[in-house]
Amino acid sequence: MIVLDMTMSLDGYVVGPDDSVDQPMGAGGFRLFNWLDDRNDDGPSGDVYREALATGALISGRRTFEHAGRWGGDHHDGVPIFVLTHDYDQNDVPPGSARFVTDVVSCAAQARAAAGDRNVMVHGAGAAHSLLAAGELDELELHVVPVLFGQGRPLFANLPTGLVELEQTRQLTARDVTHLHYRVVK
Amino acid sequence: MIVLDMTMSLDGYVVGPDDSVDQPMGAGGFRLFNWLDDRNDDGPSGDVYREALATGALISGRRTFEHAGRWGGDHHDGVPIFVLTHDYDQNDVPPGSARFVTDVVSCAAQARAAAGDRNVMVHGAGAAHSLLAAGELDELELHVVPVLFGQGRPLFANLPTGLVELEQTRQLTARDVTHLHYRVVK
């Protein structure tokens, strides 16, 4: 399964205003990650974090990849990182297990093959939109934080799809976050 | 307490694209209200519906009011309806228990007084923004439907506030909806 994994404010922002390489989460955006303080504990936030780290490949949007410092080429456990991008410089070789891919269908196929019987994790709003539009997104794990940002980079605004039906398959509430899991109905 | 009560798609839309008086919920927008099929049942959706109908006054945005056919002047039980609007025609007298109010602070005070020891319900994105910005919104009850609209009228986009901290106080999952309740931290 290809599973979008994103933390968002209740008003749907995944990054605060004015995000850049120097300020990757935008102004105030790291507020979203307070729940990760519990990532190594027992309980729901630890469970969903461990689940995310059990994925066998990562698909990332280009902006997310760059703003995250390319994760130094290793997001977790050295799993392959497929960076979905409109274009790239052939002389720019990403570090570690990362590679650039321009075709979303090929990207999904490569990531599924690399992950084997494990899931593929997706990071980034742009990658999510592209995969949804291509029918290649299977599930969503959203960590909804009880805060309104008011401004920032939205996860879902103006999707390049029509209506997409989902089935909610799990809901876990923990300190400072509610984890909602959905299956995309195809 | 002044409590925003809105149903939204997971991507934050409260109305589908192209809403108008003739198509008040926009294209496909009535999909959001499937959960109301369970409004008279036991269970979480019935509970939150009965809670909403126990409010003693309503604050509505102008657009919501007009698109709803002014509720024929009676939203529920004849409680006072305060319609927050930038301006209005003095010759346009709303029906039933509805009245136009242009000042948000006065609107909130009148609604609180009318509701007495009951809550005030708020409908409409514009009204929610104005009340939030004025510090007059106390709680949010959001009915989150497992569907992505992709387009439409967003509940929260571009709030005229900075970051607003919330405390999640209840989460109830029922058929085709998750009801999330928040307190605004002031």
Side-chain angles (χ1 to χ4, degrees):
Chain A
M1 296 296 170
I2 295 185
V3 185
L4 177 66
D5 190 301
M6 294 294 283
T7 299
M8 70 179 196
S9 63
L10 179 64
D11 53 345
Y13 294 106
V14 294
V15 167
D18 305 321
D19 61 314
S20 67
V21 171
D22 291 334
Q23 186 175 242
M25 288 300 291
F30 277 108
R31 166 68 184 86
L32 293 179
F33 292 156
N34 287 4
W35 72 270
L36 285 168
D37 291 350
D38 298 331
R39 68 187 177 281
N40 294 320
D41 296 354
D42 292 336
S45 289
D47 290 342
V48 300
Y49 186 74
R50 284 182 285 275
E51 187 175 274
L53 292 193
T55 52
L58 178 72
I59 297 174
S60 173
R62 179 72 182 270
R63 177 190 303 269
T64 300
F65 180 66
E66 300 298 350
H67 284 195
R70 299 182 166 194
W71 293 296
D74 183 10
H75 185 273
H76 66 278
D77 297 337
V79 304
I81 301 172
F82 300 91
V83 182
L84 198 51
T85 183
H86 292 294
D87 51 55
Y88 61 94
D89 178 349
Q90 298 284 347
N91 296 317
D92 177 10
V93 178
S97 65
R99 71 209 67 178
F100 291 125
V101 188
T102 56
D103 180 76
V104 62
V105 173
S106 168
C107 178
Q110 290 181 63
R112 288 185 200 275
D117 58 2
R118 291 183 288 172
N119 282 338
V120 176
M121 177 162 42
V122 180
H123 273 343
H129 289 204
S130 298
L131 289 161
L132 259 178
E136 294 284 359
L137 192 66
D138 301 309
E139 299 182 3
L140 299 85
E141 170 72 33
L142 301 181
H143 316 290
V144 181
V145 175
V147 65
L148 300 173
F149 270 17
Q151 306 283 333
R153 190 169 296 281
L155 178 53
F156 286 126
N158 299 311
L159 283 181
T161 62
L163 186 150
V164 178
E165 281 285 349
L166 307 172
E167 178 192 2
Q168 189 171 326
T169 53
R170 192 177 63 189
Q171 49 284 328
L172 300 168
T173 292
R175 185 166 67 119
D176 219 14
V177 67
T178 284
H179 308 284
L180 299 177
H181 200 95
Y182 297 90
R183 185 177 68 81
V184 177
V185 178
K186 294 181 184 177
Chain B
M1 295 295 172
I2 295 185
V3 185
L4 177 66
D5 190 301
M6 293 294 283
T7 299
M8 70 178 196
S9 63
L10 179 63
D11 53 344
Y13 294 107
V14 293
V15 168
D18 304 321
D19 62 315
S20 66
V21 171
D22 291 335
Q23 186 175 241
M25 288 299 291
F30 277 107
R31 166 69 185 85
L32 293 179
F33 292 156
N34 288 3
W35 73 270
L36 285 168
D37 291 351
D38 298 332
R39 68 186 177 281
N40 294 319
D41 296 354
D42 291 336
S45 289
D47 289 342
V48 299
Y49 186 74
R50 284 182 286 274
E51 188 175 274
L53 293 193
T55 51
L58 178 72
I59 296 174
S60 172
R62 180 69 181 270
R63 178 190 304 268
T64 300
F65 180 65
E66 300 297 352
H67 284 195
R70 299 183 165 192
W71 293 297
D74 182 11
H75 184 274
H76 67 278
D77 298 337
V79 304
I81 302 171
F82 299 91
V83 182
L84 199 50
T85 183
H86 293 294
D87 52 55
Y88 62 95
D89 178 350
Q90 298 284 346
N91 296 315
D92 177 10
V93 178
S97 64
R99 70 209 69 178
F100 291 126
V101 188
T102 55
D103 180 76
V104 63
V105 173
S106 168
C107 179
Q110 290 181 62
R112 288 185 200 275
D117 57 3
R118 292 183 289 173
N119 282 338
V120 176
M121 176 163 41
V122 179
H123 273 344
H129 289 204
S130 297
L131 289 162
L132 260 178
E136 294 284 358
L137 192 67
D138 302 309
E139 299 182 4
L140 300 84
E141 169 72 32
L142 300 181
H143 316 291
V144 180
V145 175
V147 66
L148 301 173
F149 270 16
Q151 306 282 334
R153 189 169 296 282
L155 178 53
F156 286 125
N158 299 311
L159 283 180
T161 61
L163 186 150
V164 178
E165 282 286 349
L166 307 171
E167 178 192 2
Q168 188 171 326
T169 53
R170 193 176 63 188
Q171 49 284 329
L172 299 168
T173 291
R175 185 166 68 117
D176 217 15
V177 67
T178 285
H179 308 283
L180 300 177
H181 199 96
Y182 297 90
R183 185 178 68 81
V184 178
V185 178
K186 296 181 183 178

